[in-house]
Amino acid sequence: MDKILVLDFGGQYDQLIARRIRNLQVYAEIKPYSAITPQEIKAANYRGIVFTGGPNSVYAENAPHCGGEILSLGIPILGICYGHQLLAYLAGGKIAPAETGSEYGKTAVSVRKHVLFEGVPHESVCWMSHTDAVQTLPPGFSVLAKTAHCPVAAIGDDSRKLYGVQFHPEVTHTAYGTKMLQNFVVSVCGCKADWQMDDVLTATVERYREQLKDKKVLLALSGGVDSAVTALLLHRAVGDNLTCVFVDHGLLRKGEGDFVEATFGGKFGVNLIRVNAEERFLKALAGVTEPEQKRHIIGEQFIRVFEEEAKQLGQIDVLAQGTIYPDVIESGKGDSAKIKSHHNVGGLPDNMTFTELAEPLRDLFKDEVRALGEKLGLPRQLVRRQPFPGPGLGVRVIGEITKEKLDILREADAIFRETVAESEDDLLPNQYFAVLTDTRSVGVMGDARTYGYTVALRAVTTDDFMTATWTRLPYDLLETASSRITNEVPGISRVVYDITSKPPATVEWE
Ligand code: XMP
């Protein structure tokens, strides 16, 4: 299989570059620039390398650099933004702050006739985001594109197949960006576009069938996409040697526990143990109001329950996990500031001993995991499921968590989700749910005074959940949700809509 190395210099679009290349059916993997040597790159047989963008100036102290040796490996390179400047610098060119200042946003670019720009019109729109620019070309290079403010918008040395673009071909604002990436990957690097989900599925099942032969495998199933696909994949590989433990902590949405059980235990015939641990979780959470403490208790209890179940199963050789590629990349990058402790159901308990770990999705992006799920016959409801946090409704009941509050929230949340899902609007929010605030307010129903909870509705539009904008849901939809909730759910006297984006808010309330 032909593959491309995306060498990560800290840019914000690094994952996007790899995803775009994979969408062209060529396998691409991301490595931090400091994690791989030129010898290792050579030995791994990459057909091409992409240097990513990054926030630095190449001359800045601590700017991420790789040695110039990489240019002599005989492997084609495409530098993007910072990567373009670094390539020029390593090849002997000069970089300087652009004379006209920073260039940012959609920009008209004109390209020369070149293999990199095959099928790209002479004039088109690209996405620029830079302060520095290549000032003096390195020896052997020529200019391949320019914009009004950037005379060196793309460069190339055909004899060594080294190329750089100042703009970002990976973002959709660059009209012909995908075509340019395809030209590099297929025409310049000579990759065969033959990386397909069907092959990934067959190869993964075969690999694990062999590797896990006669071994007992355990997986914590949450009903989320990642663990669901992991379960079905491994079930195909090892059948009844896989046991899935589904910890129902009582913090799930309406009907969710039964659906997971019916799907995996029922429809797919997976060996499934559903542990009804609601009482235990509620007891541990009684009286607790502080968000981080709640998260901690839920995470801790989850691990204990999982551990106890595992113990009863006797000797287990392999722990399976639904780790996906962005988790792998993120964990290699070190910690950014901790806003809240994310707890993913399925985390590895520290004091459990397994001889092996199986992570069949560790090379796949989320959209690829969904595609695999579809191939495995996972119901649409699960494949297209919006994200749901590990601590579940525990972070959506503000203040103390009680069974009564959870039941009220479950009903309100189900009505809101149903209303949104049924709407004619094409653009579904990426995540939408209800939150039970701990504020009560006065209302009137019939002739009687009510004093019930306030429910907040939340819907966000986002690409990556790192930032998000509140979704402009139609007023009529909000009206339907509000009147259905107040009419159908006893205990709620007021419905409000959250109009805060992230930042400054987070998606979840706790
Ligand atoms: P925040 O609230 O941090 O949420 O803006 C961003 C995305 O992450 C989800 N989320 C979690 N997912 N475990 C998870 O698996 C968690 O503990 C957790 N907390 C938040 C949240 O639903 C949103 O999609």
Side-chain angles (χ1 to χ4, degrees), residues 295 340-344 387-391 396 431 465 502 506-508:
R295 280 177 171 270
K340 50 178 96 157
S341 52
H342 276 208
H343 144 69
N344 289 315
F388 185 61
R396 295 182 182 168
Q431 197 172 2
F465 296 92
K502 171 184 179 177
T506 52
V507 175
E508 302 290 345

Side-chain angles (χ1 to χ4, degrees), residues 7 9 32-39 41 49 51 63-73 75 77 82-83 86-92 160 162:
L7 208 54
F9 291 98
Y33 74 96
S34 53
I36 188 163
T37 64
Q39 292 72 28
I41 293 175
I49 305 170
F51 286 3
H65 275 210
C66 56
E69 207 183 330
I70 195 168
L71 307 191
S72 322
L73 296 175
I75 304 175
I77 297 177
Y82 174 82
L86 182 67
L87 174 74
Y89 168 82
L90 294 174
R160 291 190 286 169
L162 303 179

Side-chain angles (χ1 to χ4, degrees), residues 42 77 111 116 124 240 287 315 346 359 409 419 480 495:
K42 186 88 195 156
I77 297 177
V111 301
L116 205 56
S124 65
D240 279 349
Q315 177 56 36
E359 298 179 310
L409 175 59
T419 313
T480 307
V495 178

